[in-house]
DNA sequence: GTAGGGTTAG
C-alpha cells in the first residue's frame, strides 16, 4: 500500500497515471474505494478526460463518501454542473453523505447553479462549517441578492476576516459604495486583502482619488494591491498615471507579475507606445516566466490598436490551443477597427464558441463601417439562436444602425424588444434612442425618451437639439438651450452648432444672432452656421460681410451656403464670386458647377450656363449616381433611375404617370424647371436624384392608405424639382409626406414644406 | 478547502 502511495505522489502526467492504474489492476487493488478515490483525485489534478475519469469511478462497486466527493470535485472543476447534481442524487439514493469540504468547492465552481447547494443544505438541515458559510455567502455576494448575503453575515455566530472581506467586496460588486465603506469602518481587524478590496472597489466605481487615498494609507501592500491600483488607472483610461505608478513600484524594487504586465501593456496600447510593453515583457521573460495568455491577449490588442495588425495576427496564431473567447474577440475587433469586415466576419464564423461580446464586436463593426443593414441582420440572427441575451452594448449598435438607415419601423421594433426583454438603458443607450428617433423623423418620440430620462448628459441635449435642427424646429431647440441653462448644464461647441442650425432652418435671425454673440470662443463651424443663417433669410450681403470679417479662412461649406442662396435669390454677382472660390477649394465637386449653371439658366443666360456645364465635363467632374429608399414592412426598398427591378415596378410607374397628370391638371407644367418635364437622354444622369426620388415617392403613394402619412427616406439631398413635386402632391392628395435628405427632414402638408429651406 | 488584482465589444 505505501509503495503505491509513494508513486501516487510522484505522478505528474496522464501517462504516469495510466501506468499506476495498470499496476493497481495487476495487484487487484483497482476496485478498492481508497485507490479509486486516489485515481480520481489525480484525474482532477491532471485534467484527465471525462470518459476516462468516469470509467475509473465505476470501478468502485459501491463508491464510498471519499470516492463520491472526489468525483464531485472533478465534475465541478470541469464545469459539468449536470453531472454534479446527478451524482448528488445517486449519493442520496445510496445514503452516502458528502464530506463537508466539497461544498465550498462545488458552490464556487457551479456558477449560478450554486444556489441549488444552498437549497440542498437547508433541506437536509446540514450543519454549516465556517468554510461552507463563507462559500454560501460568497455565492450571494457574486450573484445576488446581496441582501441574502447580508442576512447570512448578520446571522453568523462568529465572523472571520475572510467573511468581512467577502461581504465588503460583495457590496462593491453590487455598486453599494456606502455599505462597503460602513462595514470597512466597523471591521475590528483588517488585513491587506481588506484594504486592496477597498482600492479596487473605488477604482471600479471610477473614483480613483478615493482609491488612491486608500492605497496610500494601507499599512502594507502586496503585489495584488499595486496591481489593483495600476489596473484601476488603466481601466479608467488614465494610462499615464498607470505607467507612473508602475515605475514607482519598480523603484521600490518590487517584482511585477503577469497581472501588472497586463495593466501596463493595456496602458501602452492607449498611449500608442509598444516600446515600454515590449521591454517589460522581455524583463519578465528573463526571469523565466513566459507570458501567459492574459498578457499575450493584451499584447495582441496593443499591437492591433497601434496599427500593427500583422504582429497582432502573429500572436493570435501563436496562441494556438490557448486561444479563448477573449483572444478571438480581440482579433475580430482588430479587423473591424481597420474596416476589414471580411476578415472579421471570417473569424466570427470560425470561432468555436461565441459570447455577447463576440456578437457585439461584429455588430458594432458593421454598424461603424456603414453596413447598417448587415448589423441588423446579425442582430436578428443573434436573437434567433436564443442562447445569448443581447445587452445594452448590443442594443446601442443596433439602435444606431436603425438611425443611420432612417428605418423607423425597425427602430420601433428594436425599442419594443428593449421593453419586452427588460433591457435597461444607461444615458448612453437613451442617447442612442434619441438619435435614432431624430434620424427617423419622429421628434415626438425622441423628445419623450429625453424627458423620461433620469439623468442626462450634454450629449443627450446635443442629440435632441440636432434632431430639432434637422426638423426645422428652431423654437424647440432654443427652448432646450434655456432648459440646459436652468439645469446648469454647460453647452459645448456641438450644442451651439445645433442651436444655430435650428435657427437657420427656421429663419430665426435675431435669435440666432443673440446666440452667436453669447458664444465665448466661436470656431469656424459656428461662423459657417451664421453664414448659412444670413443666407437663408436672404441677407446675402450680411453673409458676405461675415465671411470677409471672420478671423479664420472660410472652408467650402461656408461658400456653399452662400452659393445656394445666391441661386435662390438670383444674385448672379455673388454666385459667380462664391462659385469661383469653390472651384478652387473643391474642384471635384460637381454640385458647385450645377448650381452656377442653374443661376445663369434662371436669368436666361443660357450660353453661360452651357459654358459651365462644358467646364464640368472637361474637368471630368461626374455626378455620383444616387438612389432613394423607402422603408416598408421592415424592408428597405431601393430605387435607382430607370429601375424596373422592383416587383411592383409597373404599378410604381403607373402612379408616377398619375402624379404627372394631376400636376398638369393643376397647371404646374408652366415652369421650365418643373419636375416632370421630359429630359434629354444625356441629361438623365444629372437628374438621377430626381428620378430615383420620384420612384420612391410613387411607391410610397402606392402602398399607403389614402390619407396616411407617407414616409420617404432617402440618402440624397432632396432636389429642387422633387421638392416641388411633393409639395404639389401633398396638396392634391391631402396627405402628409415626410422626406429625409442627408441630414434633415421636410414635412410636407397642404402644399407647404415645414422647413425654411429655399425652394 | 475561505477573502483582494488581469485581456475583448459601445
Amino acid at each position: 500500500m505505501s509503495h503505491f502511495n509513494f508513486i501516487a505522489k510522484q505522478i505528474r502526467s496522464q501517462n504516469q497515471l495510466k501506468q499506476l492504474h495498470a499496476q493497481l489492476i495487476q495487484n487487484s487493488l483497482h476496485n478498492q474505494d481508497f485507490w479509486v478515490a486516489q485515481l480520481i483525485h489525480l484525474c482532477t489534478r491532471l485534467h484527465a478526460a471525462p470518459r476516462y475519469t468516469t470509467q475509473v469511478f465505476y470501478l468502485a462497486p459501491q463508491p464510498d463518501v471519499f470516492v463520491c466527493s472526489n468525483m464531485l470535485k472533478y465534475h465541478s472543476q470541469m464545469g459539468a454542473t449536470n453531472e454534479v447534481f446527478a451524482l448528488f442524487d445517486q449519493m442520496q439514493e445510496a445514503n452516502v453523505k458528502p464530506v463537508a469540504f466539497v461544498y465550498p468547492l462545488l458552490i464556487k465552481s457551479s456558477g449560478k447553479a450554486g444556489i441549488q447547494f444552498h437549497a440542498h443544505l437547508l433541506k437536509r438541515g446540514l450543519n454549516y462549517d465556517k468554510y461552507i458559510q463563507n462559500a454560501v455567502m460568497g455565492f450571494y455576494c457574486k450573484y445576488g441578492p446581496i441582501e441574502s448575503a447580508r442576512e447570512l453575515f448578520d446571522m453568523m455566530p462568529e465572523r472571520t476576516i475572510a467573511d468581512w472581506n467577502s461581504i465588503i467586496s460583495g457590496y462593491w460588486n453590487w455598486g453599494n459604495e456606502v455599505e462597503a465603506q460602513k462595514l470597512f469602518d466597523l471591521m475590528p481587524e483588517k488585513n491587506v486583502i481588506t484594504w486592496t478590496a477597498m482600492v479596487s472597489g473605488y477604482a471600479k466605481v471610477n473614483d480613483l482619488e478615493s482609491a488612491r487615498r486608500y492605497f496610500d494609507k494601507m499599512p502594507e501592500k502586496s503585489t495584488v494591491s499595486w496591481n489593483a491600483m495600476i489596473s484601476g488607472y488603466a481601466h479608467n483610461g488614465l494610462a499615464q498615471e498607470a505607467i507612473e505608478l508602475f515605475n514607482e513600484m519598480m523603484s521600490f524594487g518590487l517584482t511585477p507579475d503577469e497581472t501588472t504586465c497586463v495593466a501596463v501593456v493595456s496602458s501602452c496600447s492607449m498611449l500608442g507606445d509598444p516600446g515600454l510593453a515590449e521591454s517589460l515583457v522581455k524583463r519578465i521573460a528573463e526571469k523565466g516566466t513566459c507570458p501567459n495568455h492574459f498578457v499575450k491577449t493584451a499584447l495582441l490588442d496593443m499591437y492591433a490598436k497601434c496599427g500593427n495588425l500583422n504582429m497582432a495576427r502573429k500572436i493570435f496564431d501563436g496562441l494556438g490551443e490557448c486561444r479563448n473567447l477573449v483572444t478571438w474577440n480581440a482579433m475580430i475587433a482588430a479587423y473591424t477597427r481597420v474596416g476589414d469586415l471580411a476578415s472579421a466576419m471570417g473569424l466570427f464564423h470560425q470561432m468555436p464558441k461565441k459570447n455577447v461580446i463576440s456578437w457585439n464586436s461584429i455588430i458594432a463593426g458593421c454598424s461603424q463601417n456603414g453596413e447598417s443593414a448587415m448589423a441588423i441582420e446579425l442582430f436578428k440572427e443573434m436573437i434567433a439562436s436564443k442562447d445569448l441575451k443581447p445587452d445594452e452594448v448590443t442594443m446601442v449598435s443596433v439602435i444606431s444602425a436603425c438611425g443611420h438607415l432612417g428605418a423607423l419601423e425597425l427602430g420601433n421594433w428594436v425599442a419594443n424588444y428593449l421593453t419586452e426583454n427588460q433591457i435597461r438603458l444607461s444615458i448612453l443607450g437613451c442617447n442612442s434612442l434619441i438619435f435614432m428617433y431624430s434620424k427617423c423623423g419622429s421628434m415626438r418620440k425622441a423628445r419623450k425618451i429625453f424627458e423620461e430620462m433620469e439623468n442626462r448628459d450634454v450629449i443627450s441635449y446635443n442629440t435632441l437639439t440636432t434632431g430639432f435642427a434637422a426638423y426645422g424646429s428652431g423654437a424647440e431647440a432654443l427652448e432646450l438651450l434655456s432648459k440646459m441653462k436652468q439645469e446648469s448644464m454647460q453647452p459645448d461647441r456641438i450644442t451651439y452648432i445645433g442651436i444655430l442650425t435650428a435657427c437657420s432652418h427656421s429663419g430665426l435671425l435675431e435669435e440666432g444672432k443673440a446666440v452667436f454673440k453669447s458664444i465665448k470662443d466661436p470656431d469656424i463651424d459656428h461662423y459657417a452656421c451664421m453664414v448659412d443663417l444670413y443666407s437663408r433669410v436672404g441677407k446675402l450681403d450680411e453673409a458676405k460681410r461675415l465671411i470677409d470679417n471672420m478671423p479664420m479662412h472660410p472652408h467650402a461649406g461656408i461658400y456653399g451656403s452662400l452659393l445656394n442662396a445666391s441661386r435662390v435669390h438670383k444674385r448672379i454677382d455673388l454666385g459667380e464670386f462664391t462659385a469661383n472660390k469653390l472651384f478652387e477649394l473643391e474642384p471635384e465637386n460637381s454640385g458647385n458647377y450645377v448650381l452656377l449653371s442653374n443661376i445663369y439658366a434662371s436669368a436666361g443666360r443660357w450660353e453661360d450656363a452651357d459654358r459651365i456645364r462644358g467646364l464640368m465635363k472637361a474637368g471630368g467632374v461626374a455626378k455620383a449616381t444616387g438612389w432613394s429608399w423607402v422603408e416598408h414592412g421592415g424592408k428597405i426598398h431601393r430605387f435607382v433611375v430607370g429601375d424596373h427591378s422592383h416587383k411592383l415596378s409597373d404599378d410604381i410607374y403607373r402612379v408616377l404617370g398619375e402624379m404627372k397628370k394631376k400636376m398638369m391638371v393643376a397647371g404646374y407644367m408652366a415652369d421650365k424647371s418643373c419636375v416632370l418635364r421630359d429630359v434629354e437622354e444625356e441629361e438623365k444622369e444629372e437628374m438621377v436624384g430626381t428620378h430615383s426620388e420620384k420612384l420612391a415617392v410613387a411607391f410610397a403613394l402606392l402602398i399607403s392608405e389614402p390619407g396616411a402619412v407617407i414616409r420617404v427616406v432617402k440618402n440624397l439631398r432632396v432636389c429642387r424639382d422633387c421638392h416641388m413635386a411633393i409639395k404639389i402632391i401633398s396638396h392634391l392628395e391631402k396627405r402628409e409626406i415626410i422626406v429625409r435628405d442627408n441630414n434633415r427632414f421636410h414635412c410636407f402638408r397642404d402644399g407647404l414644406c415645414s422647413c425654411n429651406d429655399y425652394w
Side-chain angles (χ1 to χ4, degrees):
Chain A
M1 190 80 108
S2 61
H3 162 68
F4 290 117
N5 244 332
F6 178 74
I7 294 173
K9 277 192 188 130
Q10 305 294 309
I11 283 177
R12 292 282 175 275
S13 73
Q14 294 197 22
N15 266 343
Q16 292 171 325
L17 166 65
K18 284 177 187 163
Q19 276 170 24
L20 171 68
H21 192 174
Q23 286 173 19
L24 290 169
I25 293 173
Q26 272 175 19
N27 290 276
S28 304
L29 293 168
H30 62 283
N31 50 10
Q32 286 188 6
D33 281 337
F34 175 84
W35 285 109
V36 173
Q38 283 281 318
L39 286 174
I40 295 172
H41 175 70
L42 288 167
C43 286
T44 311
R45 216 177 67 194
L46 300 168
H47 301 272
R51 242 183 79 191
Y52 175 72
T53 314
T54 316
Q55 269 173 22
V56 172
F57 175 73
Y58 283 116
L59 288 173
Q62 275 184 317
D64 72 356
V65 53
F66 295 105
V67 174
C68 291
S69 296
N70 281 357
M71 195 62 201
L72 284 170
K73 241 166 98 177
Y74 172 80
H75 283 319
S76 74
Q77 178 190 283
M78 302 299 284
T81 317
N82 288 342
E83 278 80 356
V84 168
F85 286 111
L87 184 52
F88 248 106
D89 292 340
Q90 258 178 283
M91 288 166 75
Q92 203 183 338
E93 274 169 36
N95 210 13
V96 178
K97 283 201 181 89
V99 288
F101 77 81
V102 292
Y103 279 103
L105 288 171
L106 295 181
I107 292 168
K108 254 194 97 171
S109 57
S110 309
K112 281 186 188 172
I115 194 164
Q116 297 178 39
F117 289 103
H118 191 198
H120 175 92
L121 292 162
L122 284 172
K123 211 157 60 190
R124 266 145 247 257
L126 287 171
N127 278 335
Y128 296 10
D129 73 2
K130 62 174 182 173
Y131 297 109
I132 296 181
Q133 282 184 356
N134 186 278
V136 173
M137 187 178 77
F139 169 82
Y140 289 107
C141 285
K142 193 164 177 198
Y143 298 101
I146 183 71
E147 290 74 23
S148 303
R150 182 56 183 267
E151 236 169 82
L152 292 169
F153 179 79
D154 287 337
M155 278 185 335
M156 285 179 178
E158 274 173 81
R159 285 174 274 268
T160 62
I161 297 190
D163 294 323
W164 284 91
N165 289 343
S166 293
I167 190 85
I168 288 176
S169 27
Y171 275 121
W172 279 120
N173 191 32
W174 292 90
N176 191 338
E177 180 183 328
V178 179
E179 210 53 41
Q181 172 80 64
K182 233 188 241 170
L183 286 170
F184 178 83
D185 292 337
L186 274 173
M187 216 173 150
E189 203 188 333
K190 305 169 179 71
N191 63 10
V192 60
I193 295 177
T194 325
W195 285 92
T196 308
M198 294 306 279
V199 172
S200 68
Y202 278 113
K204 207 188 216 163
V205 295
N206 308 331
D207 182 355
L208 289 164
E209 277 171 32
S210 303
R212 186 56 190 256
R213 220 175 40 243
Y214 278 82
F215 180 76
D216 288 337
K217 256 205 314 216
M218 52 197 296
E220 55 159 329
K221 294 182 183 73
S222 65
T223 305
V224 177
S225 322
W226 284 91
N227 291 345
M229 196 64 229
I230 296 174
S231 348
Y233 281 133
H235 248 283
N236 285 277
L238 299 166
Q240 204 61 54
E241 283 81 348
I243 305 275
E244 270 164 30
L245 192 63
F246 167 72
N247 287 333
E248 201 181 321
M249 178 182 179
M250 300 309 283
S251 72
F252 280 111
L254 296 160
T255 38
D257 66 4
E258 282 147 319
T259 305
T260 328
C261 201
V262 168
V264 174
V265 170
S266 77
S267 300
C268 290
S269 74
M270 285 183 249
L271 296 174
D273 169 25
L276 177 62
E278 277 162 356
S279 72
L280 180 64
V281 172
K282 218 169 127 191
R283 199 154 60 191
I284 287 186
E286 277 163 8
K287 276 196 333 191
T289 26
C290 174
N292 64 12
H293 73 271
F294 280 109
V295 179
K296 284 184 185 160
T297 306
L299 281 167
L300 185 163
D301 187 54
M302 179 190 73
Y303 284 118
K305 282 181 180 152
C306 295
N308 190 344
L309 223 65
N310 284 338
M311 197 64 189
R313 183 63 200 232
K314 221 166 127 186
I315 296 174
F316 179 78
D317 291 335
L319 274 161
E321 285 298 296
C322 292
R323 274 189 291 225
N324 62 12
L325 263 170
V326 182
T327 25
W328 282 91
N329 292 345
M331 200 64 226
I332 288 174
Y335 282 125
T336 60
R337 211 173 284 126
V338 295
D340 185 353
L341 277 182
S343 301
M345 206 65 102
L347 282 185
F348 181 75
H349 287 121
Q350 246 175 284
M351 58 194 299
K353 229 184 182 179
K354 298 177 180 72
N355 66 1
V356 180
I357 297 184
S358 324
W359 284 95
N360 290 353
S361 305
I362 198 76
I363 291 175
C366 291
S367 187
Q368 284 157 17
N369 285 294
E371 294 289 346
S372 300
M374 204 193 291
I376 290 164
E377 282 313 305
L378 280 161
F379 173 67
K380 286 182 178 166
E381 204 182 302
M382 175 186 184
I383 58 175
S385 71
K386 280 191 176 155
D387 52 337
L388 286 169
K389 251 191 86 150
D391 63 8
E392 187 181 359
V393 180
T394 329
M395 299 318 292
V396 167
S397 300
V398 175
I399 293 166
S400 107
C402 292
H404 284 297
L405 286 173
L408 187 62
E409 281 180 41
L410 268 175
N412 281 332
W413 171 73
V414 171
N416 228 2
Y417 184 89
L418 286 172
T419 38
E420 271 171 17
N421 291 277
Q422 296 176 343
I423 302 174
R424 284 198 34 90
L425 294 185
S426 67
I427 296 183
L428 180 89
C430 292
N431 290 350
S432 72
L433 275 178
I434 298 175
F435 167 81
M436 185 272 284
Y437 282 126
S438 299
K439 277 280 183 190
C440 294
S442 179
M443 289 317 292
R444 194 181 54 80
K445 283 198 171 173
R447 176 186 236 149
K448 189 159 174 270
I449 300 287
F450 178 85
E451 277 165 2
E452 284 169 359
M453 284 170 81
E454 283 168 31
N455 296 301
R456 306 178 188 105
D457 60 11
V458 69
I459 298 172
S460 324
Y461 283 87
N462 292 353
T463 312
L464 190 62
T465 306
T466 309
F468 282 137
Y471 219 82
S473 306
E476 282 84 349
L478 285 166
E479 214 173 278
L480 210 53
L481 182 64
S482 47
K483 191 178 160 88
M484 263 180 110
K485 286 180 178 156
Q486 269 168 34
E487 292 171 7
S488 41
M489 173 74 67
Q490 194 58 43
D492 62 10
R493 57 175 296 272
I494 309 282
T495 317
Y496 285 118
I497 293 173
I499 299 287
L500 293 177
T501 310
C503 291
S504 168
H505 286 177
S506 47
L508 299 173
L509 179 60
E510 290 311 314
E511 290 84 345
K513 272 161 84 174
V515 170
F516 183 70
K517 224 174 173 177
S518 74
I519 304 174
K520 273 190 208 86
D521 198 13
D523 67 20
I524 190 158
D525 294 320
H526 301 125
Y527 276 96
C529 291
M530 281 315 283
V531 170
D532 193 52
L533 174 53
Y534 280 123
S535 300
R536 279 174 200 260
V537 297
K539 301 211 181 279
L540 272 64
D541 294 309
E542 305 240 11
K544 173 75 168 41
R545 206 169 307 135
L546 189 62
I547 294 176
D548 291 339
N549 293 322
M550 58 193 275
M552 55 286 269
H553 287 296
H555 56 53
I558 291 178
Y559 286 118
S561 301
L562 196 53
L563 178 60
N564 204 9
S566 304
R567 177 180 63 77
V568 174
H569 297 280
K570 304 202 192 320
R571 285 282 300 267
I572 297 179
D573 57 329
L574 261 182
E576 283 175 329
F577 168 79
T578 34
N580 283 322
K581 287 275 183 197
L582 282 165
F583 295 159
E584 278 170 36
L585 284 168
E586 38 171 36
E588 72 295 337
N589 187 342
S590 61
N592 300 325
Y593 293 90
V594 175
L595 276 173
L596 183 58
S597 166
N598 286 349
I599 291 176
Y600 285 132
S602 68
R605 284 169 62 173
W606 304 110
E607 276 171 28
D608 283 320
D610 286 344
R611 181 171 55 80
I612 299 299
R613 299 251 170 194
L615 216 65
M616 185 169 118
K617 267 184 195 144
V621 185
K623 200 172 171 184
T625 41
W627 63 89
S628 291
W629 70 70
V630 173
E631 184 197 11
H632 179 59
K635 269 176 75 179
I636 302 288
H637 302 260
R638 191 168 174 274
F639 299 96
V640 293
V641 64
D643 187 17
H644 283 81
S645 63
H646 196 278
K647 65 175 183 200
L648 293 177
S649 194
D650 290 345
D651 291 323
I652 292 168
Y653 281 95
R654 180 178 51 74
V655 173
L656 205 57
E658 284 169 14
M659 273 163 64
K660 187 174 175 177
K661 262 188 241 154
K662 277 179 190 165
M663 289 176 66
M664 278 167 67
V665 171
Y668 282 104
M669 283 302 279
D671 186 345
K672 187 179 184 299
S673 65
C674 188
V675 55
L676 291 168
R677 75 183 163 126
D678 289 317
V679 288
E680 298 292 326
E681 199 53 41
E682 57 182 305
E683 256 183 291
K684 265 192 177 153
E685 210 175 316
E686 279 168 24
M687 298 293 288
V688 104
T690 318
H691 279 251
S692 59
E693 189 170 299
K694 278 191 307 204
L695 290 173
V697 172
F699 177 66
L701 282 166
L702 178 70
I703 57 174
S704 61
E705 297 288 317
V709 176
I710 299 174
R711 187 176 299 274
V712 181
V713 182
K714 65 185 301 299
N715 70 341
L716 294 167
R717 283 200 66 80
V718 177
C719 73
R720 185 176 168 223
D721 290 343
C722 194
H723 195 277
M724 187 187 288
I726 300 168
K727 255 157 85 170
I728 295 161
I729 293 161
S730 79
H731 178 66
L732 294 174
E733 294 266 314
K734 296 271 175 279
R735 288 186 181 195
E736 191 179 69
I737 304 179
I738 298 172
V739 178
R740 186 182 92 164
D741 69 15
N742 264 341
N743 47 22
R744 43 193 302 215
F745 283 89
H746 306 267
C747 175
F748 298 84
R749 205 177 287 132
D750 268 345
L752 293 169
C753 180
S754 65
C755 78
N756 187 47
D757 218 340
Y758 21 72
W759 298 100

